[in-house]
Short mmCIF file of all heavy atoms in Angstrom, two decimals:
data_model
loop_
_atom_site.label_atom_id
_atom_site.label_comp_id
_atom_site.label_asym_id
_atom_site.label_seq_id
_atom_site.Cartn_x
_atom_site.Cartn_y
_atom_site.Cartn_z
N GLU A 1134 102.77 117.63 98.07
CA GLU A 1134 102.52 118.93 97.47
C GLU A 1134 101.58 119.80 98.28
O GLU A 1134 100.48 120.11 97.87
CB GLU A 1134 101.95 118.72 96.05
CG GLU A 1134 102.89 117.96 95.15
CD GLU A 1134 102.27 117.54 93.83
OE1 GLU A 1134 101.05 117.80 93.62
OE2 GLU A 1134 102.99 116.93 93.02
N PRO A 1135 102.04 120.19 99.49
CA PRO A 1135 101.18 121.03 100.35
C PRO A 1135 100.78 122.35 99.68
O PRO A 1135 101.58 122.96 98.99
CB PRO A 1135 102.01 121.26 101.59
CG PRO A 1135 103.39 120.85 101.27
CD PRO A 1135 103.35 119.96 100.08
N LYS A 1136 99.52 122.72 99.89
CA LYS A 1136 98.96 123.93 99.33
C LYS A 1136 98.65 124.90 100.46
O LYS A 1136 98.55 124.51 101.61
CB LYS A 1136 97.64 123.59 98.61
CG LYS A 1136 97.78 122.54 97.54
CD LYS A 1136 96.42 122.17 97.01
CE LYS A 1136 96.54 121.05 96.01
NZ LYS A 1136 95.23 120.62 95.48
N LEU A 1137 98.43 126.18 100.11
CA LEU A 1137 98.06 127.16 101.13
C LEU A 1137 96.84 126.73 101.92
O LEU A 1137 96.75 126.88 103.13
CB LEU A 1137 97.82 128.54 100.48
CG LEU A 1137 99.02 129.25 99.90
CD1 LEU A 1137 98.60 130.51 99.17
CD2 LEU A 1137 100.04 129.55 100.98
N SER A 1138 95.86 126.11 101.21
CA SER A 1138 94.63 125.67 101.85
C SER A 1138 94.83 124.50 102.82
O SER A 1138 93.93 124.15 103.58
CB SER A 1138 93.57 125.30 100.81
OG SER A 1138 94.05 124.23 100.00
N ASP A 1139 96.02 123.87 102.79
CA ASP A 1139 96.31 122.77 103.70
C ASP A 1139 96.71 123.27 105.10
O ASP A 1139 96.82 122.49 106.05
CB ASP A 1139 97.46 121.89 103.18
CG ASP A 1139 97.04 121.10 101.92
OD1 ASP A 1139 95.84 120.84 101.76
OD2 ASP A 1139 97.93 120.77 101.14
N SER A 1140 96.92 124.57 105.23
CA SER A 1140 97.24 125.16 106.54
C SER A 1140 96.08 124.90 107.50
O SER A 1140 94.91 125.07 107.14
CB SER A 1140 97.49 126.66 106.46
OG SER A 1140 98.65 126.92 105.69
N GLY A 1141 96.41 124.41 108.70
CA GLY A 1141 95.37 124.14 109.68
C GLY A 1141 95.86 123.24 110.78
O GLY A 1141 97.05 122.86 110.85
N ASP A 1142 94.94 122.82 111.65
CA ASP A 1142 95.23 121.98 112.79
C ASP A 1142 94.88 120.53 112.50
O ASP A 1142 93.70 120.24 112.25
CB ASP A 1142 94.48 122.46 114.05
CG ASP A 1142 94.89 123.87 114.47
OD1 ASP A 1142 96.07 124.21 114.27
OD2 ASP A 1142 94.03 124.60 114.97
N TYR A 1143 95.87 119.66 112.52
CA TYR A 1143 95.70 118.24 112.22
C TYR A 1143 95.80 117.44 113.52
O TYR A 1143 96.66 117.72 114.35
CB TYR A 1143 96.79 117.77 111.26
CG TYR A 1143 96.64 118.36 109.86
CD1 TYR A 1143 97.02 119.67 109.60
CD2 TYR A 1143 96.09 117.61 108.81
CE1 TYR A 1143 96.89 120.21 108.33
CE2 TYR A 1143 95.95 118.16 107.55
CZ TYR A 1143 96.34 119.47 107.32
OH TYR A 1143 96.19 119.99 106.06
N THR A 1144 94.94 116.46 113.66
CA THR A 1144 94.93 115.61 114.82
C THR A 1144 95.10 114.14 114.40
O THR A 1144 94.44 113.69 113.47
CB THR A 1144 93.60 115.74 115.61
OG1 THR A 1144 93.46 117.11 115.96
CG2 THR A 1144 93.60 114.89 116.85
N CYS A 1145 96.02 113.46 115.08
CA CYS A 1145 96.25 112.03 114.88
C CYS A 1145 95.63 111.32 116.07
O CYS A 1145 96.02 111.57 117.21
CB CYS A 1145 97.74 111.73 114.79
SG CYS A 1145 98.14 109.96 114.71
N SER A 1146 94.65 110.47 115.83
CA SER A 1146 93.96 109.76 116.90
C SER A 1146 94.02 108.27 116.64
O SER A 1146 94.04 107.82 115.50
CB SER A 1146 92.49 110.18 116.97
OG SER A 1146 92.37 111.54 117.15
N ILE A 1147 94.02 107.52 117.72
CA ILE A 1147 93.93 106.06 117.63
C ILE A 1147 92.61 105.65 118.26
O ILE A 1147 92.23 106.15 119.33
CB ILE A 1147 95.15 105.37 118.29
CG1 ILE A 1147 95.07 103.88 118.00
CG2 ILE A 1147 95.20 105.63 119.76
CD1 ILE A 1147 96.39 103.17 118.20
N ILE A 1148 91.90 104.81 117.56
CA ILE A 1148 90.59 104.38 118.04
C ILE A 1148 90.66 102.84 118.17
O ILE A 1148 90.87 102.14 117.20
CB ILE A 1148 89.49 104.77 117.04
CG1 ILE A 1148 89.54 106.28 116.77
CG2 ILE A 1148 88.13 104.31 117.53
CD1 ILE A 1148 88.84 106.73 115.53
N ASP A 1149 90.55 102.38 119.42
CA ASP A 1149 90.42 100.94 119.66
C ASP A 1149 89.22 100.75 120.55
O ASP A 1149 88.11 100.74 120.09
CB ASP A 1149 91.73 100.29 120.16
CG ASP A 1149 92.37 101.02 121.33
OD1 ASP A 1149 91.71 101.88 121.94
OD2 ASP A 1149 93.53 100.72 121.64
N GLU A 1150 89.37 100.63 121.84
CA GLU A 1150 88.20 100.57 122.73
C GLU A 1150 87.62 101.95 122.98
O GLU A 1150 86.46 102.10 123.30
CB GLU A 1150 88.60 99.90 124.07
CG GLU A 1150 88.93 98.45 123.88
CD GLU A 1150 89.42 97.82 125.19
OE1 GLU A 1150 89.96 98.56 126.05
OE2 GLU A 1150 89.27 96.59 125.32
N GLY A 1151 88.44 102.97 122.86
CA GLY A 1151 88.02 104.35 123.00
C GLY A 1151 88.77 105.14 121.92
O GLY A 1151 89.27 104.58 120.97
N GLU A 1152 88.85 106.45 122.10
CA GLU A 1152 89.62 107.28 121.17
C GLU A 1152 90.63 108.06 121.97
O GLU A 1152 90.31 108.66 122.99
CB GLU A 1152 88.70 108.20 120.40
CG GLU A 1152 89.46 109.03 119.35
CD GLU A 1152 88.52 109.79 118.41
OE1 GLU A 1152 87.32 109.44 118.31
OE2 GLU A 1152 89.01 110.70 117.74
N GLU A 1153 91.89 108.04 121.51
CA GLU A 1153 92.97 108.73 122.16
C GLU A 1153 93.69 109.61 121.16
O GLU A 1153 94.10 109.13 120.10
CB GLU A 1153 93.93 107.74 122.81
CG GLU A 1153 95.07 108.40 123.53
CD GLU A 1153 96.07 107.40 124.16
OE1 GLU A 1153 95.83 106.19 124.03
OE2 GLU A 1153 97.05 107.87 124.73
N THR A 1154 93.87 110.89 121.49
CA THR A 1154 94.60 111.80 120.61
C THR A 1154 96.10 111.58 120.87
O THR A 1154 96.55 111.64 122.01
CB THR A 1154 94.25 113.26 120.90
OG1 THR A 1154 92.87 113.44 120.60
CG2 THR A 1154 95.08 114.20 120.04
N LEU A 1155 96.83 111.28 119.82
CA LEU A 1155 98.26 111.05 119.94
C LEU A 1155 99.07 112.28 119.63
O LEU A 1155 100.13 112.51 120.24
CB LEU A 1155 98.69 109.91 118.99
CG LEU A 1155 97.98 108.58 119.18
CD1 LEU A 1155 98.49 107.56 118.18
CD2 LEU A 1155 98.15 108.08 120.58
N SER A 1156 98.65 113.08 118.66
CA SER A 1156 99.38 114.30 118.36
C SER A 1156 98.47 115.32 117.71
O SER A 1156 97.52 114.98 117.02
CB SER A 1156 100.60 114.02 117.48
OG SER A 1156 100.20 113.57 116.21
N ASP A 1157 98.77 116.59 117.97
CA ASP A 1157 98.12 117.73 117.36
C ASP A 1157 99.20 118.52 116.66
O ASP A 1157 100.20 118.89 117.27
CB ASP A 1157 97.44 118.62 118.42
CG ASP A 1157 96.24 117.96 119.06
OD1 ASP A 1157 95.38 117.48 118.30
OD2 ASP A 1157 96.15 117.95 120.29
N ILE A 1158 98.99 118.73 115.37
CA ILE A 1158 100.00 119.44 114.59
C ILE A 1158 99.34 120.62 113.88
O ILE A 1158 98.32 120.48 113.22
CB ILE A 1158 100.66 118.50 113.58
CG1 ILE A 1158 101.37 117.38 114.32
CG2 ILE A 1158 101.61 119.28 112.66
CD1 ILE A 1158 102.13 116.42 113.49
N GLN A 1159 99.95 121.77 114.05
CA GLN A 1159 99.50 122.99 113.37
C GLN A 1159 100.41 123.18 112.16
O GLN A 1159 101.61 123.49 112.32
CB GLN A 1159 99.57 124.15 114.33
CG GLN A 1159 98.81 125.37 113.87
CD GLN A 1159 98.77 126.41 114.95
OE1 GLN A 1159 99.80 126.89 115.39
NE2 GLN A 1159 97.57 126.77 115.38
N LEU A 1160 99.84 122.97 110.99
CA LEU A 1160 100.61 123.12 109.75
C LEU A 1160 100.41 124.49 109.16
O LEU A 1160 99.27 124.96 109.02
CB LEU A 1160 100.16 122.04 108.73
CG LEU A 1160 100.82 122.08 107.33
CD1 LEU A 1160 102.33 121.83 107.46
CD2 LEU A 1160 100.17 121.08 106.41
N HIS A 1161 101.53 125.15 108.86
CA HIS A 1161 101.51 126.46 108.21
C HIS A 1161 102.17 126.28 106.85
O HIS A 1161 103.37 125.97 106.79
CB HIS A 1161 102.30 127.50 108.99
CG HIS A 1161 101.80 127.71 110.40
ND1 HIS A 1161 100.68 128.44 110.69
CD2 HIS A 1161 102.27 127.27 111.59
CE1 HIS A 1161 100.48 128.43 112.00
NE2 HIS A 1161 101.44 127.72 112.54
N VAL A 1162 101.44 126.49 105.77
CA VAL A 1162 102.02 126.45 104.44
C VAL A 1162 102.20 127.89 103.97
O VAL A 1162 101.22 128.64 103.85
CB VAL A 1162 101.10 125.67 103.47
CG1 VAL A 1162 101.76 125.59 102.08
CG2 VAL A 1162 100.83 124.26 104.00
N ARG A 1163 103.47 128.28 103.78
CA ARG A 1163 103.79 129.63 103.34
C ARG A 1163 103.74 129.72 101.82
O ARG A 1163 104.10 128.78 101.12
CB ARG A 1163 105.21 130.01 103.77
CG ARG A 1163 105.42 130.18 105.24
CD ARG A 1163 106.83 130.73 105.53
NE ARG A 1163 107.82 130.33 104.54
CZ ARG A 1163 108.77 129.42 104.75
NH1 ARG A 1163 108.86 128.79 105.87
NH2 ARG A 1163 109.63 129.15 103.82
N GLU A 1164 103.33 130.89 101.35
CA GLU A 1164 103.30 131.13 99.92
C GLU A 1164 104.75 131.23 99.40
O GLU A 1164 105.59 131.84 100.05
CB GLU A 1164 102.58 132.43 99.64
CG GLU A 1164 102.34 132.72 98.17
CD GLU A 1164 101.48 133.95 97.93
OE1 GLU A 1164 101.16 134.67 98.91
OE2 GLU A 1164 101.14 134.19 96.78
N LYS A 1165 105.01 130.59 98.27
CA LYS A 1165 106.36 130.68 97.73
C LYS A 1165 106.55 132.07 97.16
O LYS A 1165 105.59 132.76 96.78
CB LYS A 1165 106.61 129.62 96.67
CG LYS A 1165 105.81 129.76 95.40
CD LYS A 1165 106.19 128.66 94.42
CE LYS A 1165 105.47 128.87 93.12
NZ LYS A 1165 105.93 127.97 92.10
N CYS A 1166 107.80 132.48 97.13
CA CYS A 1166 108.13 133.80 96.60
C CYS A 1166 107.83 133.84 95.11
O CYS A 1166 108.32 133.02 94.34
CB CYS A 1166 109.62 134.08 96.84
SG CYS A 1166 110.10 135.77 96.46
N PRO A 1167 106.98 134.79 94.68
CA PRO A 1167 106.64 134.87 93.25
C PRO A 1167 107.90 135.15 92.40
O PRO A 1167 108.81 135.83 92.84
CB PRO A 1167 105.67 136.04 93.16
CG PRO A 1167 105.29 136.40 94.54
CD PRO A 1167 106.34 135.82 95.45
N THR A 1168 107.88 134.63 91.18
CA THR A 1168 109.02 134.81 90.26
C THR A 1168 109.30 136.28 90.02
O THR A 1168 110.45 136.70 89.98
CB THR A 1168 108.70 134.11 88.92
OG1 THR A 1168 108.35 132.75 89.20
CG2 THR A 1168 109.88 134.12 88.00
N TRP A 1169 108.23 137.10 89.89
CA TRP A 1169 108.44 138.52 89.60
C TRP A 1169 109.15 139.20 90.77
O TRP A 1169 109.95 140.10 90.55
CB TRP A 1169 107.12 139.22 89.27
CG TRP A 1169 106.13 139.22 90.37
CD1 TRP A 1169 105.11 138.32 90.58
CD2 TRP A 1169 106.05 140.16 91.46
NE1 TRP A 1169 104.42 138.64 91.72
CE2 TRP A 1169 104.96 139.76 92.29
CE3 TRP A 1169 106.77 141.27 91.82
CZ2 TRP A 1169 104.61 140.45 93.44
CZ3 TRP A 1169 106.42 141.98 92.96
CH2 TRP A 1169 105.36 141.56 93.75
N ALA A 1170 108.87 138.77 91.99
CA ALA A 1170 109.54 139.39 93.17
C ALA A 1170 111.03 139.03 93.19
O ALA A 1170 111.87 139.88 93.49
CB ALA A 1170 108.86 138.93 94.45
N THR A 1171 111.34 137.79 92.85
CA THR A 1171 112.75 137.37 92.78
C THR A 1171 113.46 138.17 91.68
O THR A 1171 114.58 138.64 91.88
CB THR A 1171 112.81 135.86 92.47
OG1 THR A 1171 112.07 135.16 93.45
CG2 THR A 1171 114.27 135.38 92.45
N PHE A 1172 112.83 138.34 90.53
CA PHE A 1172 113.39 139.10 89.43
C PHE A 1172 113.67 140.55 89.86
O PHE A 1172 114.75 141.10 89.58
CB PHE A 1172 112.45 139.07 88.21
CG PHE A 1172 112.90 139.96 87.09
CD1 PHE A 1172 113.92 139.56 86.24
CD2 PHE A 1172 112.32 141.18 86.86
CE1 PHE A 1172 114.36 140.38 85.20
CE2 PHE A 1172 112.72 142.01 85.85
CZ PHE A 1172 113.74 141.60 85.00
N LEU A 1173 112.71 141.16 90.54
CA LEU A 1173 112.89 142.53 91.00
C LEU A 1173 114.04 142.67 92.00
O LEU A 1173 114.79 143.64 91.98
CB LEU A 1173 111.60 143.10 91.63
CG LEU A 1173 110.51 143.47 90.62
CD1 LEU A 1173 109.27 143.98 91.38
CD2 LEU A 1173 110.99 144.55 89.66
N LEU A 1174 114.17 141.69 92.89
CA LEU A 1174 115.26 141.70 93.87
C LEU A 1174 116.61 141.61 93.15
O LEU A 1174 117.54 142.35 93.48
CB LEU A 1174 115.09 140.55 94.85
CG LEU A 1174 116.13 140.47 95.94
CD1 LEU A 1174 116.14 141.74 96.79
CD2 LEU A 1174 115.92 139.23 96.80
N VAL A 1175 116.73 140.71 92.19
CA VAL A 1175 118.00 140.57 91.44
C VAL A 1175 118.29 141.86 90.68
O VAL A 1175 119.43 142.36 90.67
CB VAL A 1175 117.92 139.37 90.48
CG1 VAL A 1175 119.08 139.36 89.50
CG2 VAL A 1175 117.87 138.06 91.30
N LEU A 1176 117.27 142.44 90.06
CA LEU A 1176 117.44 143.70 89.32
C LEU A 1176 117.89 144.83 90.26
O LEU A 1176 118.80 145.59 89.90
CB LEU A 1176 116.12 144.08 88.64
CG LEU A 1176 116.16 145.30 87.72
CD1 LEU A 1176 117.14 145.09 86.55
CD2 LEU A 1176 114.76 145.59 87.19
#
């Protein structure tokens, strides 16, 4: 259930003898189309 506030830069790291970054992911959570906007478009 991603939220707008979940948008950001996520890093996956593995830590054993040192720390190694495995992946960097930039997550963008878009706002869903409001019901009223859909209604206006259909109208």
Side-chain angles (χ1 to χ4, degrees):
E1134 300 170 358
K1136 304 172 183 179
L1137 291 174
S1138 61
D1139 292 334
S1140 293
D1142 297 327
Y1143 291 77
T1144 302
C1145 173
S1146 303
I1147 187 162
I1148 304 162
D1149 49 14
E1150 292 176 334
E1152 184 170 342
E1153 181 181 358
T1154 298
L1155 302 180
S1156 65
D1157 290 311
I1158 298 183
Q1159 194 172 61
L1160 177 64
H1161 302 283
V1162 182
R1163 291 188 330 255
E1164 187 174 6
K1165 67 178 185 173
C1166 188
T1168 307
W1169 63 266
T1171 305
F1172 174 77
L1173 284 178
L1174 181 61
V1175 169
L1176 185 61

